[in-house]
Structure formats: structure tokens, C-alpha cells
């Protein structure tokens, strides 16, 4: 893994590094790093053994610049089996995004069988070659992740499938946790579900991640399962996997968008 992190901690703030640059504006941050930072701070401050994140919803207010970010969190609900956390990302005192995270306590699985979709039949990541540079990237963009997809990602007018893994830490000096890996990656549901023959023309305004378990290992699998669009407003959804099987789902809402140069 590359040792160059997305953020450097500086007191209570996190300083974005050039690698945080997003695809829409060379002077703005990628939404995935804002979502990842919110997730990491909620996990650090509020998670505990056997109490894990089952849902994370992130609202992305605007394209933030490279101003240092602080995270504020608050407990909104505390029970024996549930904890609900609100978190807000601030830059120069201005809100750039927020998260609502639900943590649930693990317990025994109830008896009986429940229908589930068929087993994912996509090849394992070690059986696929790395993908080339994503076509959505601007000229100054550096790789944020590694993906392996058999070419079934951007530009395909078909159901898309891919594996993704992180190639650098989120915060310097801190190892990525399993939850942080999938929280950063979840933003990929937008380009995977909402791109087509003309590439990606929608920018997501949120991310909702559902997890019934945390991923094992570095690789997160994505399978687009839904896309709908009307009047410049789109929704997209992907099912998520690790190398052992399904782990959850990621959903986004998005607006038609043009890139800035």
C-alpha cells in the first residue's frame, strides 16, 4: 500500500493532501474522502466490540476545497442494542457534509431460512488483471484505488461488476479498519450505477451504506443492481461483496453535472 495518506492530522483538524482531488473540479475534494473521514471519526469515538455500523448515510452539501476539516459528533440515540450518531464535517466553520450512522449490537442468528439472491459468479480479484486508469479522471488525478472488472465498468451499457481495494491510508499514521475500507469505497456506487455510453454525467449528493457484516480482506466487490433517471435526477444502487460473499449494499442520489476545468 502507498504510504501517502489522504489526510494529515493536525491537532483536531485533518489537512487534505493533493491526492484528495476529485473528478469534477481540480480544486475540490473527492466525495469518497469526506465520507471516509466522517466514518473513521465516528468509528474511533463511538464504536465498541460487538457494536458495529449497520447503516451510514452521508449528505454531501458541496464540492469542498482543500481547507482543513474538523469533525463534530453527537449521540442521538443510546440503547442496549442500538446507538445512533450524527456527525458533521466543517471547513473554516462551514458545514461541507454530514453523516447519520446507526450501530447495532451483534447477537445470535434466529432459526429458519430466508430467500437471498443467487451466489455472485464474478471471478475472484486475484484471477483478474488490474484495470487501466479510469476515464473520468482529470489530468492531475492520481490513483485512489485499484480495480479489476473485466472491462465492465465505465462506458458499458450493461450491469456492471468490479472489485476495488484501497491503495493508501485515509489518515496518516492510522491503519484502515474493515469498516473504513468499505465506507470510503461506497461512493463508487454512483459512477458504477449511473455511468453509461457517454461516461459519467451525474454527481452524487449522498451515499447510503448498509452492512450486515464488515468485509474480510482488502477487496470490495460491486455489482450494479439499479439505475433510474428523470429530469436530471438519478438514483443508483449496488450490491457489495468481499471474497467470502455478500456484505451489504450502497445507494446514491445524483444530479446531472458538468466537469470544471
Amino acid at each position: 500500500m502507498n504510504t501517502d495518506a489522504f489526510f494529515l492530522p493536525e491537532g483536531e483538524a485533518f489537512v487534505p493532501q493533493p491526492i484528495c482531488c476529485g473528478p469534477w473540479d481540480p480544486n475540490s475534494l473527492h466525495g469518497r474522502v469526506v465520507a471516509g473521514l466522517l466514518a473513521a471519526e465516528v468509528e474511533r469515538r463511538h464504536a465498541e466490540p460487538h457494536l458495529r455500523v449497520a447503516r451510514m448515510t452521508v449528505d454531501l452539501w458541496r464540492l469542498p476545497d482543500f481547507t482543513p476539516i474538523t469533525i463534530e459528533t453527537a449521540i442521538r440515540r443510546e440503547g442496549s442494542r442500538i446507538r445512533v450518531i450524527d456527525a458533521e464535517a466543517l471547513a473554516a466553520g462551514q458545514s461541507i457534509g454530514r453523516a447519520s450512522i446507526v450501530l447495532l449490537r451483534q447477537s445470535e442468528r434466529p432459526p429458519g431460512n430466508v430467500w437471498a439472491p443467487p451466489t455472485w459468479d464474478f471471478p475472484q480479484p486475484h484471477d483478474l488483471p488490474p484495470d487501466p486508469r479510469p476515464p473520468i479522471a482529470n489530468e492531475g488525478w492520481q490513483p485512489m484505488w485499484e480495480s479489476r472488472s473485466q472491462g465492465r465498468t465505465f462506458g458499458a451499457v450493461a450491469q456492471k461488476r468490479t472489485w476495488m481495494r484501497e491503495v493508501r491510508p485515509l489518515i496518516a499514521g492510522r491503519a484502515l479498519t474493515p469498516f473504513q475500507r468499505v465506507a470510503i469505497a461506497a461512493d463508487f456506487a454512483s459512477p458504477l450505477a449511473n455511468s453509461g455510453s457517454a461516461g459519467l454525467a451525474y454527481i452524487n449528493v449522498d451515499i447510503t451504506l448498509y452492512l450486515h457484516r464488515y468485509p474480510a480482506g482488502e477487496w470490495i466487490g460491486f455489482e450494479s443492481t439499479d439505475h433510474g433517471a428523470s429530469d436530471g435526477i438519478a438514483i443508483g444502487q449496488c450490491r457489495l461483496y468481499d471474497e467470502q460473499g455478500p456484505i451489504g449494499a450502497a445507494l446514491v442520489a445524483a444530479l446531472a453535472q458538468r466537469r470544471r476545468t
Side-chain angles (χ1 to χ4, degrees):
M1 176 178 282
N2 192 316
T3 57
D4 295 332
F6 289 115
F7 293 98
L8 297 181
E10 189 174 277
E12 296 297 316
F14 300 90
V15 181
Q17 300 304 291
I19 187 61
C20 289
C21 176
W24 298 104
D25 183 336
N27 299 309
S28 71
L29 306 184
H30 201 298
R32 76 194 308 267
V33 301
V34 177
L37 188 59
L38 284 160
E41 281 299 281
V42 168
E43 183 181 37
R44 184 179 70 85
R45 300 178 192 184
H46 300 285
E48 61 184 56
H50 309 298
L51 187 70
R52 67 181 185 217
V53 176
R55 192 206 73 203
M56 176 183 78
T57 295
V58 175
D59 293 309
L60 301 167
W61 304 134
R62 55 178 54 86
L63 289 173
D65 62 19
F66 284 76
T67 301
I69 298 171
T70 57
I71 304 294
E72 296 181 354
T73 69
I75 298 175
R76 296 303 181 198
R77 168 78 165 88
E78 183 75 85
S80 61
R81 299 198 299 168
I82 183 172
R83 181 176 295 166
V84 180
I85 308 296
D86 284 349
E88 189 166 19
L90 302 162
Q94 184 178 46
S95 178
I96 61 171
R98 69 175 182 184
S100 174
I101 294 183
V102 176
L103 299 98
L104 300 179
R105 192 166 300 281
Q106 296 172 237
S107 63
E108 293 184 3
R109 182 173 180 171
N113 297 315
V114 179
W115 178 89
T119 302
W120 203 32
D121 60 358
F122 198 56
Q124 292 290 298
H126 55 77
D127 294 325
L128 296 170
D131 288 341
R133 176 189 175 95
I136 64 167
N138 58 50
E139 289 301 318
W141 188 86
Q142 300 178 55
M144 289 187 171
W145 61 78
E146 178 185 352
S147 62
R148 301 185 179 191
S149 66
Q150 289 186 322
R152 297 177 64 177
T153 51
F154 302 108
V157 185
Q159 186 179 39
K160 304 178 187 72
R161 298 173 172 181
T162 190
W163 290 102
M164 171 192 286
R165 70 174 170 184
E166 298 305 310
V167 296
R168 64 186 69 247
L170 176 66
I171 301 167
R174 302 184 191 176
L176 284 171
T177 68
F179 170 60
Q180 290 167 26
R181 287 185 181 279
V182 68
I184 301 168
D187 178 80
F188 198 63
S190 184
L192 201 70
N194 292 330
S195 64
S197 60
L200 179 62
Y202 294 98
I203 182 172
N204 57 305
V205 299
D206 72 353
I207 309 159
T208 294
L209 170 66
Y210 289 101
L211 295 169
H212 58 86
R213 66 176 176 87
Y214 289 165
E218 297 181 334
W219 291 98
I220 308 295
F222 286 76
E223 178 179 54
S224 61
T225 55
D226 194 19
H227 165 78
S230 300
D231 305 317
I233 298 172
I235 59 168
Q237 180 173 321
C238 290
R239 199 165 187 231
L240 304 181
Y241 301 83
D242 64 9
E243 294 178 78
Q244 298 176 8
I247 61 172
L251 301 82
V252 296
L255 289 167
Q257 176 82 346
R258 294 182 180 177
R259 288 183 183 81
R260 300 174 188 173
T261 58

